[in-house]
Coordinates of all heavy atoms in Angstrom, one line a residue:
M453 N -25.8 31.1 -62.6 CA -25.9 32.6 -62.6 C -26.1 33.0 -61.1 O -25.5 34.0 -60.7 CB -27.1 33.0 -63.4 CG -27.3 34.5 -63.3 SD -28.7 35.1 -64.3 CE -28.0 35.1 -65.9
K454 N -26.9 32.3 -60.4 CA -27.1 32.7 -59.0 C -25.8 32.6 -58.2 O -25.5 33.5 -57.4 CB -28.1 31.8 -58.3 CG -29.5 32.0 -58.8 CD -30.5 31.2 -58.0 CE -30.7 31.8 -56.6 NZ -32.0 31.8 -56.1
A455 N -25.0 31.6 -58.5 CA -23.7 31.5 -57.8 C -22.8 32.6 -58.1 O -22.1 33.2 -57.2 CB -23.0 30.1 -58.1
R456 N -22.7 33.0 -59.4 CA -21.9 34.1 -59.8 C -22.3 35.4 -59.1 O -21.5 36.2 -58.7 CB -21.9 34.3 -61.3 CG -21.0 33.5 -62.0 CD -20.7 34.1 -63.4 NE -20.1 33.0 -64.1 CZ -20.5 32.5 -65.3 NH1 -21.4 33.1 -65.9 NH2 -19.9 31.5 -65.8
A457 N -23.6 35.6 -59.1 CA -24.2 36.8 -58.4 C -23.8 36.8 -56.9 O -23.4 37.8 -56.4 CB -25.7 36.9 -58.6
A458 N -24.0 35.7 -56.3 CA -23.6 35.6 -54.8 C -22.2 35.9 -54.6 O -21.8 36.5 -53.6 CB -24.0 34.2 -54.3
E459 N -21.3 35.4 -55.5 CA -19.9 35.7 -55.3 C -19.6 37.2 -55.3 O -18.6 37.6 -54.7 CB -19.1 35.0 -56.4 CG -19.0 33.5 -56.4 CD -18.4 32.9 -57.6 OE1 -18.0 33.6 -58.5 OE2 -18.3 31.7 -57.7
R460 N -20.4 37.9 -56.0 CA -20.2 39.4 -56.1 C -21.1 40.1 -55.1 O -21.3 41.4 -55.2 CB -20.5 39.8 -57.5 CG -19.5 39.3 -58.5 CD -19.9 39.4 -59.9 NE -18.9 39.1 -60.9 CZ -18.6 37.8 -61.2 NH1 -19.2 36.8 -60.7 NH2 -17.7 37.6 -62.1
G461 N -21.7 39.4 -54.2 CA -22.6 40.1 -53.2 C -23.9 40.5 -53.7 O -24.6 41.4 -53.1
L462 N -24.4 39.9 -54.8 CA -25.7 40.3 -55.4 C -26.7 39.2 -55.2 O -26.4 38.0 -55.1 CB -25.5 40.5 -56.9 CG -24.5 41.6 -57.3 CD1 -24.3 41.6 -58.8 CD2 -25.0 42.9 -56.8
D463 N -27.9 39.5 -55.1 CA -29.0 38.6 -55.0 C -29.7 38.5 -56.3 O -30.2 39.5 -56.9 CB -30.0 39.1 -53.9 CG -31.2 38.1 -53.7 OD1 -31.0 36.9 -53.9 OD2 -32.3 38.6 -53.4
A464 N -29.7 37.3 -56.9 CA -30.3 37.0 -58.2 C -31.3 35.9 -58.1 O -31.2 35.0 -57.4 CB -29.2 36.6 -59.2
T465 N -32.4 36.1 -58.9 CA -33.5 35.1 -59.0 C -33.6 34.8 -60.4 O -33.7 35.7 -61.3 CB -34.8 35.7 -58.5 OG1 -34.6 36.1 -57.1 CG2 -35.9 34.7 -58.5
T466 N -33.6 33.5 -60.7 CA -33.8 33.0 -62.1 C -35.2 32.4 -62.2 O -35.7 31.8 -61.2 CB -32.8 32.0 -62.6 OG1 -32.8 30.9 -61.7 CG2 -31.4 32.7 -62.5
A467 N -35.8 32.5 -63.3 CA -37.1 31.9 -63.5 C -37.3 31.5 -65.0 O -36.8 32.1 -65.9 CB -38.2 32.9 -63.1
V468 N -38.1 30.4 -65.2 CA -38.5 30.0 -66.5 C -40.0 30.0 -66.5 O -40.7 29.4 -65.6 CB -38.0 28.6 -66.8 CG1 -38.4 28.1 -68.2 CG2 -36.4 28.6 -66.8
R469 N -40.6 30.6 -67.5 CA -42.0 30.7 -67.6 C -42.4 30.4 -69.1 O -41.6 30.7 -70.0 CB -42.6 32.1 -67.2 CG -42.3 32.5 -65.8 CD -43.2 31.7 -64.9 NE -43.2 32.2 -63.5 CZ -42.4 31.7 -62.6 NH1 -41.5 30.7 -62.9 NH2 -42.4 32.2 -61.4
D470 N -43.6 29.9 -69.3 CA -44.1 29.6 -70.6 C -45.1 30.8 -71.0 O -45.8 31.3 -70.1 CB -44.9 28.3 -70.7 CG -43.9 27.1 -70.6 OD1 -42.8 27.2 -71.1 OD2 -44.3 26.1 -70.0
G471 N -45.1 31.1 -72.3 CA -46.1 32.1 -72.7 C -45.4 33.2 -73.5 O -44.2 33.1 -73.9
D472 N -46.2 34.2 -73.9 CA -45.7 35.3 -74.6 C -44.7 36.2 -73.8 O -45.2 36.7 -72.7 CB -46.9 36.2 -75.1 CG -46.5 37.4 -75.8 OD1 -45.3 37.8 -75.9 OD2 -47.5 38.1 -76.3
P473 N -43.5 36.2 -74.1 CA -42.5 37.0 -73.3 C -42.9 38.4 -73.0 O -42.6 38.9 -71.9 CB -41.2 36.9 -74.1 CG -41.4 35.9 -75.1 CD -42.9 35.7 -75.3
T474 N -43.6 39.1 -73.9 CA -43.9 40.5 -73.7 C -45.0 40.6 -72.7 O -45.2 41.7 -72.1 CB -44.4 41.1 -75.0 OG1 -45.6 40.4 -75.5 CG2 -43.4 41.0 -76.1
K475 N -45.7 39.5 -72.3 CA -46.7 39.5 -71.2 C -46.1 38.9 -70.0 O -46.3 39.4 -68.8 CB -47.9 38.9 -71.7 CG -48.6 39.6 -72.8 CD -49.9 38.9 -73.2 CE -50.6 39.8 -74.2 NZ -50.7 39.2 -75.5
V476 N -45.5 37.7 -70.1 CA -45.0 36.9 -69.0 C -43.9 37.5 -68.3 O -43.9 37.6 -67.0 CB -44.6 35.5 -69.5 CG1 -44.0 34.7 -68.4 CG2 -45.8 34.8 -70.1
V477 N -42.9 38.1 -69.0 CA -41.7 38.7 -68.3 C -42.1 39.9 -67.5 O -41.8 39.9 -66.3 CB -40.6 39.0 -69.3 CG1 -39.5 39.8 -68.7 CG2 -40.1 37.7 -70.0
P478 N -42.8 40.9 -68.0 CA -43.2 42.0 -67.2 C -44.1 41.6 -66.0 O -44.0 42.1 -64.9 CB -44.0 42.9 -68.1 CG -43.5 42.6 -69.5 CD -43.2 41.1 -69.4
A479 N -45.0 40.6 -66.2 CA -45.9 40.2 -65.1 C -45.1 39.6 -64.0 O -45.3 39.9 -62.8 CB -46.9 39.2 -65.6
Y480 N -44.1 38.7 -64.3 CA -43.2 38.1 -63.3 C -42.4 39.2 -62.6 O -42.2 39.1 -61.4 CB -42.4 37.0 -63.9 CG -41.5 36.3 -62.9 CD1 -42.1 35.5 -62.0 CD2 -40.1 36.6 -62.8 CE1 -41.3 34.9 -61.0 CE2 -39.4 36.0 -61.8 CZ -39.9 35.1 -60.9 OH -39.1 34.6 -60.0
A481 N -41.9 40.1 -63.4 CA -41.0 41.2 -62.8 C -41.8 42.0 -61.8 O -41.3 42.3 -60.7 CB -40.5 42.1 -63.9
D482 N -43.1 42.2 -62.1 CA -44.0 42.9 -61.1 C -44.2 42.0 -59.9 O -44.2 42.5 -58.8 CB -45.3 43.3 -61.8 CG -45.1 44.4 -62.8 OD1 -44.1 45.1 -62.8 OD2 -46.1 44.5 -63.7
E483 N -44.4 40.8 -60.1 CA -44.7 39.8 -59.1 C -43.6 39.8 -58.0 O -43.8 39.8 -56.8 CB -44.9 38.4 -59.6 CG -45.2 37.3 -58.7 CD -45.3 36.0 -59.4 OE1 -45.9 35.9 -60.5 OE2 -44.9 35.0 -58.8
V484 N -42.4 39.8 -58.5 CA -41.2 39.7 -57.6 C -40.6 41.1 -57.3 O -39.6 41.2 -56.6 CB -40.1 38.7 -58.1 CG1 -40.7 37.3 -58.2 CG2 -39.5 39.2 -59.4
D485 N -41.1 42.1 -57.9 CA -40.6 43.5 -57.8 C -39.1 43.6 -58.2 O -38.3 44.0 -57.4 CB -40.8 44.0 -56.3 CG -40.6 45.5 -56.2 OD1 -40.8 46.2 -57.2 OD2 -40.3 46.0 -55.1
A486 N -38.9 43.1 -59.4 CA -37.5 43.0 -59.9 C -36.9 44.4 -60.1 O -37.5 45.3 -60.5 CB -37.5 42.2 -61.2
D487 N -35.6 44.5 -59.7 CA -34.8 45.7 -60.0 C -34.3 45.8 -61.4 O -34.2 46.8 -62.0 CB -33.6 45.8 -59.0 CG -34.1 46.0 -57.5 OD1 -35.0 46.7 -57.3 OD2 -33.5 45.3 -56.7
L488 N -34.0 44.6 -61.9 CA -33.4 44.5 -63.2 C -33.8 43.2 -63.9 O -33.7 42.2 -63.3 CB -31.8 44.5 -63.1 CG -31.0 44.3 -64.4 CD1 -31.2 45.5 -65.4 CD2 -29.5 44.1 -64.1
L489 N -34.1 43.3 -65.2 CA -34.4 42.1 -66.0 C -33.2 41.9 -66.9 O -32.8 42.8 -67.5 CB -35.7 42.3 -66.8 CG -36.9 42.7 -66.1 CD1 -38.1 43.0 -67.1 CD2 -37.3 41.7 -65.1
V490 N -32.8 40.7 -67.0 CA -31.7 40.3 -67.9 C -32.3 39.3 -68.9 O -32.8 38.3 -68.5 CB -30.5 39.7 -67.2 CG1 -29.4 39.3 -68.2 CG2 -30.0 40.6 -66.1
V491 N -32.2 39.7 -70.2 CA -32.7 38.9 -71.3 C -31.7 38.6 -72.3 O -30.8 39.5 -72.5 CB -34.0 39.4 -71.9 CG1 -35.2 39.5 -70.9 CG2 -33.8 40.8 -72.5
G492 N -31.7 37.5 -73.0 CA -30.8 37.2 -74.0 C -31.3 37.6 -75.4 O -32.5 37.7 -75.6
S493 N -30.4 37.9 -76.3 CA -30.8 38.2 -77.6 C -29.9 37.5 -78.6 O -28.6 37.5 -78.5 CB -30.6 39.7 -77.8 OG -30.8 40.1 -79.2
H494 N -30.5 36.8 -79.6 CA -29.7 36.2 -80.6 C -29.5 37.1 -81.8 O -28.5 36.9 -82.5 CB -30.5 34.9 -81.1 CG -30.5 33.8 -80.1 ND1 -29.5 33.0 -79.8 CD2 -31.5 33.5 -79.2 CE1 -29.8 32.2 -78.8 NE2 -31.0 32.5 -78.4
G495 N -30.3 38.1 -82.1 CA -30.1 39.0 -83.2 C -30.0 38.3 -84.5 O -28.9 38.3 -85.1
K496 N -31.0 37.6 -85.0 CA -30.9 36.7 -86.1 C -31.0 37.5 -87.5 O -30.4 37.0 -88.4 CB -32.0 35.7 -86.1 CG -31.8 34.7 -84.9 CD -32.8 33.7 -84.8 CE -32.6 32.7 -83.7 NZ -33.6 31.8 -83.5
T497 N -31.7 38.6 -87.6 CA -31.8 39.3 -88.8 C -30.6 40.3 -88.9 O -30.0 40.7 -87.9 CB -33.1 40.0 -89.0 OG1 -33.1 41.1 -88.1 CG2 -34.3 39.1 -88.7
P498 N -30.3 40.7 -90.1 CA -29.2 41.7 -90.3 C -29.4 43.0 -89.5 O -28.5 43.5 -88.8 CB -29.2 42.0 -91.8 CG -29.7 40.8 -92.4 CD -30.7 40.2 -91.4
R499 N -30.6 43.5 -89.4 CA -30.9 44.7 -88.6 C -30.7 44.4 -87.2 O -30.1 45.2 -86.4 CB -32.4 45.1 -88.9 CG -32.7 46.4 -88.0 CD -34.2 46.7 -88.1 NE -35.0 45.7 -87.4 CZ -35.2 45.7 -86.0 NH1 -34.6 46.6 -85.3 NH2 -36.0 44.8 -85.5
E500 N -31.1 43.2 -86.7 CA -31.0 42.9 -85.3 C -29.5 42.7 -84.9 O -29.1 43.1 -83.8 CB -31.7 41.6 -85.0 CG -33.2 41.7 -85.1 CD -34.0 40.4 -85.0 OE1 -33.3 39.3 -85.1 OE2 -35.2 40.4 -84.9
K501 N -28.7 42.2 -85.9 CA -27.3 42.0 -85.6 C -26.6 43.4 -85.4 O -25.8 43.6 -84.6 CB -26.6 41.2 -86.7 CG -27.0 39.7 -86.6 CD -26.3 38.9 -87.7 CE -26.8 37.5 -87.6 NZ -26.3 36.7 -88.7
V502 N -27.0 44.3 -86.3 CA -26.4 45.7 -86.2 C -26.9 46.4 -84.9 O -26.1 47.0 -84.2 CB -26.7 46.5 -87.4 CG1 -26.3 48.0 -87.2 CG2 -26.0 45.9 -88.7
Q503 N -28.1 46.2 -84.7 CA -28.8 46.9 -83.5 C -28.4 46.3 -82.2 O -28.4 46.9 -81.2 CB -30.3 46.9 -83.7 CG -31.1 47.6 -82.7 CD -32.6 47.5 -82.9 OE1 -33.0 46.7 -83.8 NE2 -33.3 48.3 -82.2
G504 N -28.1 45.0 -82.3 CA -27.7 44.3 -81.0 C -28.9 43.9 -80.2 O -28.8 43.5 -79.0
L505 N -30.1 43.9 -80.8 CA -31.3 43.6 -80.1 C -32.2 42.8 -81.0 O -32.5 43.1 -82.1 CB -32.0 45.0 -79.8 CG -33.1 45.0 -78.8 CD1 -32.5 44.7 -77.4 CD2 -33.6 46.4 -78.7
G506 N -32.6 41.6 -80.5 CA -33.5 40.7 -81.2 C -34.9 41.2 -81.1 O -35.2 42.0 -80.3
S507 N -35.8 40.6 -81.9 CA -37.2 41.1 -82.0 C -37.9 40.8 -80.6 O -38.6 41.6 -80.1 CB -37.9 40.4 -83.1 OG -37.8 39.0 -83.0
V508 N -37.6 39.6 -80.0 CA -38.2 39.3 -78.8 C -37.7 40.2 -77.6 O -38.4 40.7 -76.8 CB -38.1 37.8 -78.4 CG1 -38.6 37.5 -77.0 CG2 -38.8 36.9 -79.5
S509 N -36.4 40.3 -77.6 CA -35.8 41.2 -76.5 C -36.3 42.6 -76.7 O -36.6 43.3 -75.7 CB -34.3 41.1 -76.5 OG -33.7 41.4 -77.7
E510 N -36.4 43.1 -77.9 CA -36.9 44.4 -78.1 C -38.3 44.6 -77.6 O -38.6 45.6 -77.0 CB -36.8 44.8 -79.6 CG -37.3 46.2 -79.9 CD -37.2 46.5 -81.4 OE1 -36.9 45.7 -82.2 OE2 -37.3 47.7 -81.7
A511 N -39.1 43.6 -77.9 CA -40.5 43.6 -77.5 C -40.6 43.6 -75.9 O -41.5 44.3 -75.4 CB -41.3 42.4 -78.1
V512 N -39.7 42.8 -75.3 CA -39.7 42.8 -73.8 C -39.4 44.2 -73.3 O -40.0 44.7 -72.4 CB -38.8 41.7 -73.3 CG1 -38.6 41.9 -71.8 CG2 -39.4 40.3 -73.6
V513 N -38.3 44.8 -73.8 CA -37.9 46.1 -73.4 C -39.0 47.1 -73.5 O -39.3 47.9 -72.6 CB -36.7 46.6 -74.2 CG1 -36.4 48.1 -74.0 CG2 -35.4 45.7 -73.9
K514 N -39.8 47.0 -74.6 CA -40.9 48.0 -74.9 C -42.1 47.7 -74.0 O -42.9 48.6 -73.8 CB -41.3 48.0 -76.3 CG -40.2 48.6 -77.2 CD -40.7 48.5 -78.7 CE -39.7 49.2 -79.6 NZ -40.1 49.2 -81.0
S515 N -42.2 46.5 -73.4 CA -43.4 46.1 -72.7 C -43.3 46.4 -71.2 O -44.2 46.0 -70.4 CB -43.7 44.6 -72.9 OG -42.7 43.8 -72.3
T516 N -42.2 46.9 -70.7 CA -42.0 47.1 -69.3 C -41.3 48.5 -69.0 O -40.6 49.0 -69.9 CB -41.1 46.0 -68.6 OG1 -41.1 46.2 -67.2 CG2 -39.7 45.9 -69.2
D517 N -41.6 49.0 -67.8 CA -40.9 50.3 -67.4 C -39.7 50.0 -66.5 O -39.0 50.9 -66.1 CB -41.9 51.1 -66.6 CG -43.0 51.7 -67.4 OD1 -42.8 51.9 -68.6 OD2 -44.1 51.9 -66.9
R518 N -39.4 48.7 -66.3 CA -38.3 48.3 -65.5 C -37.0 48.3 -66.3 O -37.0 48.3 -67.5 CB -38.5 46.9 -64.9 CG -39.7 46.9 -63.9 CD -39.9 45.5 -63.3 NE -41.1 45.5 -62.5 CZ -41.1 45.9 -61.2 NH1 -40.0 46.3 -60.6 NH2 -42.2 45.9 -60.5
A519 N -35.9 48.4 -65.6 CA -34.6 48.3 -66.3 C -34.4 46.9 -66.9 O -34.7 45.9 -66.3 CB -33.5 48.6 -65.3
V520 N -33.9 46.9 -68.1 CA -33.6 45.7 -68.8 C -32.2 45.7 -69.4 O -31.8 46.6 -70.0 CB -34.6 45.4 -70.0 CG1 -34.4 44.1 -70.7 CG2 -36.1 45.5 -69.5
L521 N -31.5 44.6 -69.1 CA -30.1 44.4 -69.7 C -30.3 43.3 -70.7 O -30.7 42.2 -70.4 CB -29.1 44.0 -68.6 CG -27.8 43.6 -69.0 CD1 -27.0 44.7 -69.7 CD2 -26.9 43.0 -67.9
V522 N -29.9 43.6 -72.0 CA -30.0 42.7 -73.0 C -28.6 42.1 -73.3 O -27.6 42.9 -73.5 CB -30.6 43.3 -74.3 CG1 -30.6 42.3 -75.5 CG2 -32.0 43.8 -74.1
V523 N -28.4 40.8 -73.2 CA -27.1 40.2 -73.4 C -27.1 39.4 -74.7 O -28.0 38.6 -74.9 CB -26.8 39.2 -72.2 CG1 -25.5 38.5 -72.4 CG2 -26.9 39.9 -70.9
G524 N -26.2 39.7 -75.5 CA -26.1 39.0 -76.8 C -25.6 37.6 -76.6 O -24.6 37.4 -75.9
V525 N -26.2 36.6 -77.2 CA -25.8 35.2 -77.1 C -25.9 34.5 -78.5 O -26.7 35.0 -79.3 CB -26.7 34.5 -76.1 CG1 -26.5 35.0 -74.7 CG2 -28.1 34.5 -76.4
G526 N -25.2 33.4 -78.6 CA -25.4 32.5 -79.7 C -24.7 32.8 -81.0 O -24.6 31.9 -81.8
S527 N -24.1 33.9 -81.2 CA -23.3 34.1 -82.4 C -22.3 35.2 -82.2 O -22.3 36.0 -81.3 CB -24.2 34.6 -83.6 OG -24.8 35.8 -83.3
G528 N -21.3 35.2 -83.1 CA -20.2 36.2 -82.9 C -19.3 35.9 -81.8 O -19.1 34.8 -81.3
R529 N -18.6 36.9 -81.3 CA -17.6 36.8 -80.3 C -18.2 36.1 -79.0 O -19.2 36.5 -78.5 CB -17.1 38.2 -79.9 CG -16.0 38.2 -79.0 CD -15.5 39.6 -78.8 NE -14.8 39.6 -77.5 CZ -15.3 40.2 -76.4 NH1 -16.2 40.9 -76.4 NH2 -14.7 40.2 -75.3
G530 N -17.5 35.1 -78.6 CA -17.9 34.4 -77.4 C -19.0 33.5 -77.5 O -19.6 33.1 -76.5
A531 N -19.4 33.1 -78.7 CA -20.6 32.2 -78.9 C -20.4 30.9 -78.2 O -21.4 30.3 -77.8 CB -20.8 31.9 -80.4
D532 N -19.2 30.4 -78.0 CA -19.0 29.1 -77.3 C -18.9 29.3 -75.8 O -18.8 28.3 -75.1 CB -17.8 28.4 -77.8 CG -16.5 29.2 -77.7 OD1 -16.6 30.5 -77.5 OD2 -15.4 28.6 -77.7
R533 N -19.0 30.5 -75.3 CA -19.0 30.7 -73.9 C -20.3 31.0 -73.3 O -21.2 31.4 -74.1 CB -18.0 31.9 -73.6 CG -16.6 31.6 -73.9 CD -15.8 32.8 -73.5 NE -16.2 33.9 -74.4 CZ -15.6 35.1 -74.4 NH1 -14.7 35.4 -73.5 NH2 -16.0 36.0 -75.2
D534 N -20.5 30.9 -72.1 CA -21.7 31.3 -71.4 C -21.8 32.8 -71.4 O -20.9 33.5 -71.3 CB -21.6 30.6 -70.0 CG -22.3 31.3 -68.9 OD1 -22.2 32.5 -68.8 OD2 -22.9 30.6 -68.1
A535 N -23.1 33.3 -71.6 CA -23.3 34.7 -71.7 C -22.8 35.5 -70.5 O -22.3 36.6 -70.6 CB -24.8 35.0 -71.9
G536 N -22.9 34.9 -69.3 CA -22.4 35.6 -68.1 C -20.9 35.8 -68.2 O -20.4 36.9 -67.8
E537 N -20.1 34.9 -68.7 CA -18.7 35.0 -68.8 C -18.4 36.2 -69.8 O -17.5 37.0 -69.5 CB -18.0 33.7 -69.3 CG -18.0 32.6 -68.3 CD -17.5 31.4 -68.8 OE1 -17.6 31.1 -70.0 OE2 -16.8 30.6 -68.0
E538 N -19.1 36.2 -70.9 CA -18.9 37.2 -71.9 C -19.2 38.6 -71.3 O -18.4 39.6 -71.4 CB -19.8 37.0 -73.1 CG -19.5 38.0 -74.2 CD -20.3 37.7 -75.4 OE1 -20.5 36.5 -75.7 OE2 -20.7 38.6 -76.1
A539 N -20.3 38.7 -70.6 CA -20.6 40.0 -69.9 C -19.6 40.4 -68.9 O -19.2 41.6 -68.8 CB -22.0 39.9 -69.3
D540 N -19.1 39.4 -68.1 CA -18.1 39.7 -67.1 C -16.8 40.2 -67.7 O -16.2 41.2 -67.3 CB -17.7 38.4 -66.3 CG -18.9 38.0 -65.3 OD1 -19.8 38.8 -65.1 OD2 -18.8 36.9 -64.9
E541 N -16.4 39.6 -68.8 CA -15.1 40.0 -69.5 C -15.3 41.4 -70.1 O -14.4 42.2 -70.0 CB -14.8 39.0 -70.6 CG -14.3 37.7 -69.9 CD -13.9 36.6 -71.0 OE1 -13.9 37.0 -72.2 OE2 -13.7 35.5 -70.6
E542 N -16.4 41.7 -70.7 CA -16.6 43.0 -71.3 C -16.7 44.1 -70.2 O -16.2 45.2 -70.5 CB -17.9 43.0 -72.1 CG -17.8 42.2 -73.4 CD -19.0 42.1 -74.2 OE1 -20.1 42.7 -73.8 OE2 -19.0 41.4 -75.3
A543 N -17.2 43.7 -69.1 CA -17.2 44.7 -68.0 C -15.8 45.0 -67.5 O -15.6 46.1 -67.0 CB -18.1 44.2 -66.8
D544 N -14.9 44.0 -67.6 CA -13.6 44.2 -67.1 C -12.7 45.0 -68.1 O -11.7 45.5 -67.8 CB -12.9 42.9 -66.9 CG -13.4 42.1 -65.7 OD1 -14.1 42.8 -64.9 OD2 -13.3 40.9 -65.7
E545 N -13.2 45.2 -69.4 CA -12.4 45.9 -70.4 C -12.4 47.3 -70.2 O -13.2 47.9 -69.7 CB -12.9 45.5 -71.8 CG -12.7 44.0 -72.1 CD -13.3 43.6 -73.5 OE1 -13.9 44.5 -74.1 OE2 -13.1 42.5 -73.8

């Protein structure tokens, strides 16, 4: 992801943290003063599939005032591709 961002002249930081995402993600975003949070969503329940937002990603969105981009992963169109490629292709459409 960092390489793709750099190719486009963007600065990206990736991080892995343990804990409750609704607490850990906003705390880390504040720590690094993030401009944008990108989170994945599997959308496992029927409501989540229609809404396009999984329960964890929805909780993260509600737990921060920062901008959040939710990327669908794991099922449906592009499930065998990396989420970044899917997002890139959709942006080109």
